[in-house]
Structures are given as C-alpha cells and as structure tokens.
C-alpha cells in the first residue's frame, strides 16, 4: 500500500508559508513566508521543533530560502527586492550580506552545485547571476533579460553551471556562461506550457527537467546533445531540450511546486487543490517517450493551497510541504 | 489635475432589493449554506474607483454572474467592466478578490474573472487576478491597499 503518512504538523508561522528548504544533511530545514521571518527546524527526539528564528533581514514577505551546497550559508529572497545571505560564522545565524539590484520583488534564489554562483530572479523579468568573490562578498556576473514577464523560479543543474528559469511568460529558459568571453547567455527556450510555469526540478542526471504550471500539467523535458542517436536537430552545438511527456488530467488547479528526488526518482507536486501527488516512472518507460504513473494522491494534505513540496535530500522518503495558514507538514512516503 | 474617468457617463442601473429573510433563515436547525445571493451581498456595495456609485449600480456585478459550489468549496465571480478599455479592470477585480478573501471562510477557492468578451485585455487581467503571488505582493503595497479599502468600505 503506497501512501503518505503524516508525521507531524508544525505551526510556527503567521500567514502564508511560501517555501521550505532542506539543509543538505537532511536533518535541518528552513521555512519562510508572509510573516517576514525565517525559521530553522531540527529534530529533538521524534519531534521537529524551531531551533532558530531569523528576523529583521527583510521588510516584506520572504518568498524563498535556499541552503548552499556546503550547508554553511542560507540565502533568502524577498518581496522587498533584496536577497540576504545568512551564516553562523559568529556562532549564531546572522545576515552578513545583502544582494541588491532587482527593481522589485525577488521571487527565487538558488546556489550552483559548486556554491560559487548564486542566481536570483524576480518580478522585474530579470535573472541575475552572482559570484561569490570573497568572504561576504558577492558580485553581479550577469543580468539576463530573456523573459518578457515576471520570473518565478531559478534552479541550477545538479552538477554543472547550467541555470534554468521559469516564468509568467509560460516558458522555461536555460543559461550558461560562454567560456571564451565570460558572457552568460540564454541557450534554450522551452516552450509548451499554456500558462505560468511556477517551478521546475532537474532529475539526478541533470539530463531531464520536470516543470509544473498554472495550465495544470507537469511536463518532462529531455536534453538531446549534439550528434544524438535519436536524430534530434541540434543547432549551434547547444543541446536541444524536447518535451517528451506531459502529465495532464491529474491536477485540478494550478501546480505551484514540483520536487524530483535524486535518490528515489519520485516526483511530488504541490497543487492549489490542496492535494499532494506522487508520480513514479514506469519500469518499461521509453527514454524518448517516458511514462509516469500517479502512485499516491494525498487528499486534503493541507486545508488550503499547497505552496511547496520538497523531498529530503537523503532519500529517506521524507517530504515537507507548506500552505497559506501558517502550517508546515512532514510526511513519510510508505511503499 | 484630476484624472478624467475612462467612462465619463456610465449607464446607471437601479439597485436591487435587500435579501428577503425567510423562515428557514431564522431556523437555527437548518444549515445555511453560502449561496450566490450571499456572495452578491458581500460585493454589491463595493464602490467604483472612479464614480460615487456601487458595482451593482454600474452592473459590473450581477447575481447571475456568481457561482458557488459548497461541496467543491469554490466561488466564481465574473465581473463586467463598463467599457472594454477600462483601465480600472484589474483594480476592480482585486477589490472583489480582497473583499471575498476577508469575508468568506478560508476553505473557499475564489476565482474572479472578467465576463467573457467584455474587456480588451481580458486574458491579461484574468491571469493577473489568478496569480496568488502577485495578489499577495500587491496587498503589501500600502497605497494600493488604501485604495482598495476605500473601494471596499461600504458607505
């Protein structure tokens, strides 16, 4: 029997909880939201409890939090147009750098796999790439204006410095640095969704991408490199990304978030119909036309929209989700 | 300089009657589901941003353009801008959304849209009103919230 078992409901925030983020070690997570605070949670015995509350970093809603791959830094993106970097070099968590430049709301922040680069995006339609240049020093490497609407999400490839962004303009774009002139450029535009793309997640190989949208579908995209066996046309030596699977008819409202577990391969979605769904690739799935099965539907996972879902990076089947009324829930997926 | 209204001479309609209280309304043993009339009453007196008139008087809101499903916990409100190029359409839609957000139980999913075929930027307005993140960000803008509160305040 496959099901999501509720381990704990946490009520620490006031108002909308927009995002939760696992520490790479999988034993701590951060949460953020409308109440302008960041809360750090860890386990005491069997219970998750608040260990630290970070306040006064932002003037408005904190939309997203992200841990650096080393686990020593936490970045927070806020509607106040700034991104704050927190660390505990002094023994306790403090904000030691603030990244400014976006014209208005910052919607998302992500660290590259090396931890040397940071990406932010926002309502001003731009994506910024920042380089860590020293202790508490960050320099803007590039401002990318490829989207023509609000940019909702940025996410890095799991092993390379390839950046993906999702937008209100219904597209996903990929960027990388040209090593010759150190210029960041958009190398692919993924077009197929019919409304806002809210989130995206790479699989563990980074050769596939899952995206979720207000059009109520999930799409799986596959990378076709130069001289691929399948004969997919590749121009300018840049890989072609093709939509190889669309999961439609499963979600009844906007899909706000998607998480692709790098250990188990399971895909979880957060939906505006209050439901968490889990998909698994079929065993006989064709790589060029994969099939995914809905293996679990958790009705009324929250009393309101599910804003975020995220698998524990350790692959222990733990999942966190959050919603509009301040509630965070920890789940265990049972096979 | 005062801004000239988009629609200088809007057509004004008569207000409807108040809801008739029936005997079942007073009966404590009868479950009163939220119905179209109740949602209508919550938003009919919202003020137009440009005229000293209610959305009902301008026929921006009509009871027949409201749908409530108590089982599904959904509320759909279609509103009709007075002219197809009304620059206030998003603000009016936002006021309706805010009023229902504040007045209805949180279990309801509220969808506010422009009545089909009545506005030049219908799709763009609908998309913006449906984007909860942009609505949340808008509601952190004090000037905008003040304007919305003025619209929503009943006179």
């Amino acid at each position: 029997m496959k099901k999501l078992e509720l381990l704990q409901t946490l009520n620490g925030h006031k108002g909308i909880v927009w995002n939760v983020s696992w520490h790479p070690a999988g034993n701590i997570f951060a949460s953020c939201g409308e109440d302008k605070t960041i809360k750090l949670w860890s386990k005491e015995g069997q219970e998750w409890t608040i260990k630290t509350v970070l306040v006064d970093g932002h003037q408005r809603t904190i939309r997203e939090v992200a841990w650096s791959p080393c686990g020593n830094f936490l970045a927070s993106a806020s509607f106040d147009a700034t991104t704050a970097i927190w660390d505990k070099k002094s023994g306790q968590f403090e904000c030691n750098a603030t990244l400014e430049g976006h014209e208005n709301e910052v919607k998302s922040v992500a660290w590259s796999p090396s931890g040397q680069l940071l990406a932010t995006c926002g309502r001003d339609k731009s994506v910024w790439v920042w380089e860590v240049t020293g202790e508490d020093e960050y320099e803007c490497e590039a401002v990318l204006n490829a989207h023509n609407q609000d940019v909702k999400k940025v996410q890095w490839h799991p092993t390379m410095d390839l950046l993906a962004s999702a937008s209100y303009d219904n597209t996903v774009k990929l960027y990388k640095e040209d090593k010759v002139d150190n210029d960041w450029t958009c190398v692919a535009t993924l077009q197929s969704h019919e409304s806002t793309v809210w989130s995206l997640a790479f699989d563990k190989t980074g050769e596939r991408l899952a995206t979720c949208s207000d059009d109520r579908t999930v799409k799986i995209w596959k990378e076709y490199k130069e001289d691929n066996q399948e004969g997919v046309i590749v121009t300018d030596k840049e890989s072609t990304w093709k939509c190889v699977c669309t999961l439609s008819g499963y979600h009844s409202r906007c899909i706000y978030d998607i998480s692709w577990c790098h250990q188990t391969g399971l895909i979880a979605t957060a939906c505006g119909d209050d439901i968490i769904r889990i998909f698994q690739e079929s065993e006989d799935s064709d790589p060029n036309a994969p099939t995914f099965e809905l293996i679990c539907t958790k009705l009324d996972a929250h009393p309101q929209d599910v804003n975020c879902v995220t698998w524990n990076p350790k692959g222990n089947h733990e999942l966190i989700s959050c919603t509009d009324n301040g509630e965070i829930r920890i789940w265990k997926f049972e096979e | 300089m005062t801004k000239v209204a988009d629609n200088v001479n809007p057509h004004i309609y008569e207000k409807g009657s108040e809801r008739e209280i029936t005997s079942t309304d007073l009966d404590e043993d009868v479950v009163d589901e939220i119905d179209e009339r109740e949602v209508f009453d919550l938003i009919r007196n919202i003020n137009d941003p440009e005229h000293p008139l209610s959305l009902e008087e301008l026929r921006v809101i009509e009871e027949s353009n409201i749908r409530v499903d108590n089982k599904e916990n959904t509320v759909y409100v279609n509103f009709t801008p007075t002219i197809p190029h009304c620059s206030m359409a998003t603000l009016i839609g936002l006021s309706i959304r805010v009023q229902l957000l504040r007045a209805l139980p949180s279990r309801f999913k509220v969808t506010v849209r422009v009545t089909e075929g009545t506005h030049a930027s219908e799709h763009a307005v609908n998309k913006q009103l449906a984007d909860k993140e942009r609505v949340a960000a808008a509601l952190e803008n004090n000037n905008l919230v003040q304007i919305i509160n003025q619209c929503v305040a009943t006179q």
Side-chain angles (χ1 to χ4, degrees), chain A residues 47-304:
Chain A
E47 300 278 290
W48 288 89
T49 52
I50 297 174
K51 283 293 146 106
T52 310
V53 181
L54 309 181
V55 293
D56 299 330
H58 292 289
Q59 310 300 313
R60 291 182 57 190
T61 283
I62 304 173
R63 177 64 181 90
E64 194 170 281
V65 276
W67 291 96
S68 62
C70 64
N72 292 333
F73 300 91
L74 181 71
S76 56
S78 166
F79 284 0
D80 70 9
T82 70
T83 305
I85 314 288
W86 309 76
D87 64 57
K88 55 173 191 181
K89 282 191 288 248
S90 67
Q92 52 185 336
F93 271 95
E94 279 174 8
C95 172
N96 284 318
T98 304
L99 313 185
E100 292 174 357
H102 281 285
E103 277 171 39
N104 39 43
E105 294 96 297
V106 185
K107 300 283 176 76
S108 177
V109 58
W111 298 85
S112 72
S114 65
Q116 285 307 299
L117 297 169
L118 205 67
T120 58
C121 67
R123 173 77 185 279
D124 64 7
K125 308 173 189 176
S126 67
V127 172
W128 293 48
V129 179
W130 309 80
E131 191 181 0
V132 185
T133 51
E135 192 164 311
D136 304 333
E137 276 179 46
Y138 298 80
E139 257 174 41
C140 175
E141 278 263 291
V143 178
L144 302 158
N145 290 303
H147 284 292
N148 54 36
Q149 288 289 343
D150 190 0
V151 190
K152 298 293 195 187
K153 187 88 175 179
V154 278
Q155 195 77 63
W156 292 90
H157 184 281
T159 54
M160 295 189 302
D161 287 343
L162 177 74
L163 178 66
S165 64
S167 166
Y168 190 85
D169 71 10
N170 308 353
T171 70
V172 170
K173 289 182 186 281
L174 300 175
Y175 316 83
K176 65 179 191 191
E177 189 179 20
D178 187 331
K179 292 294 171 199
V180 180
D181 54 9
N182 296 333
D183 246 2
W184 283 82
T185 50
C186 174
V187 292
T189 298
L190 282 52
Q191 230 158 349
S192 182
H193 279 297
E194 288 165 13
S195 189
T196 304
V197 188
W198 278 91
S199 190
L200 53 91
F202 282 97
D203 76 349
K204 68 170 176 217
T205 65
E207 287 167 3
R208 292 197 296 177
L209 189 63
T211 56
C212 64
S213 164
D214 180 46
D215 70 10
R216 304 172 185 190
T217 70
V218 166
K219 288 181 188 282
I220 310 291
W221 308 76
K222 182 171 157 43
E223 178 186 22
Y224 290 90
K225 293 176 182 156
E226 203 183 7
D227 300 324
N228 60 79
Q229 304 253 306
E230 293 83 1
V232 174
I233 297 167
V234 172
T235 50
D236 298 334
K237 301 195 171 181
E238 295 301 344
S239 296
T240 297
W241 289 75
K242 217 175 104 179
C243 177
V244 289
C245 174
T246 299
L247 298 170
S248 60
Y250 294 107
H251 299 84
S252 70
R253 298 185 78 89
C254 178
I255 311 164
Y256 289 111
D257 197 22
I258 188 159
S259 178
W260 199 336
C261 181
H262 288 183
Q263 308 294 330
T264 64
L266 295 172
I267 292 177
T269 60
C271 186
D273 60 12
D274 312 345
I275 298 172
I276 296 173
R277 294 173 178 82
I278 295 171
F279 296 87
Q280 186 174 39
E281 189 164 9
S282 315
E283 275 182 26
D284 55 354
S285 181
D286 173 355
N288 295 303
T291 46
F292 286 79
E293 287 163 59
L294 177 65
I295 56 165
C296 177
T297 304
K298 184 66 200 174
L299 296 172
D300 300 315
H302 285 285
Q304 286 175 260

Side-chain angles (χ1 to χ4, degrees), chain A residues 3-5 20-26 28-29 201-202 257-270 276-280 295-296 308-321 330-335:
Chain A
K3 61 173 191 187
L4 263 187
E5 195 198 335
V20 283
S21 173
W22 284 105
H23 184 277
I28 298 172
F29 72 87
F202 282 97
D257 197 22
I258 188 159
S259 178
W260 199 336
C261 181
H262 288 183
Q263 308 294 330
T264 64
L266 295 172
I267 292 177
T269 60
I276 296 173
R277 294 173 178 82
I278 295 171
F279 296 87
Q280 186 174 39
I295 56 165
C296 177
C308 171
V309 277
T310 177
W311 289 108
N312 187 309
K314 289 293 161 200
N316 62 1
H317 285 179
E318 261 176 14
L319 186 78
I320 320 181
S321 61
I330 317 239
W331 308 87
K332 181 100 180 175
F333 178 66
E334 309 270 356
E335 295 220 47

Side-chain angles (χ1 to χ4, degrees), chain B residues 19 31-40 42 67-70 74-75 103-105 107-108:
Chain B
R19 181 185 183 126
V31 179
D32 287 325
E33 293 273 26
I34 287 175
D35 58 12
E36 282 77 9
R37 176 66 204 217
E38 192 163 350
V39 172
F40 179 64
L42 288 171
R67 228 161 12 96
V68 177
D69 187 329
N70 274 283
T74 53
V75 172
L104 287 176
R107 65 185 164 95
F108 279 106

Side-chain angles (χ1 to χ4, degrees), chain A residues 61 63 168 274 305 307, chain B residues 109 127 131-133 137 140:
Chain A
T61 283
R63 177 64 181 90
Y168 190 85
D274 312 345
D305 298 356
N307 294 324
Chain B
K109 309 275 183 189
K127 191 169 182 180
D131 186 319
K132 70 183 256 186
E133 186 185 60
E140 287 187 356

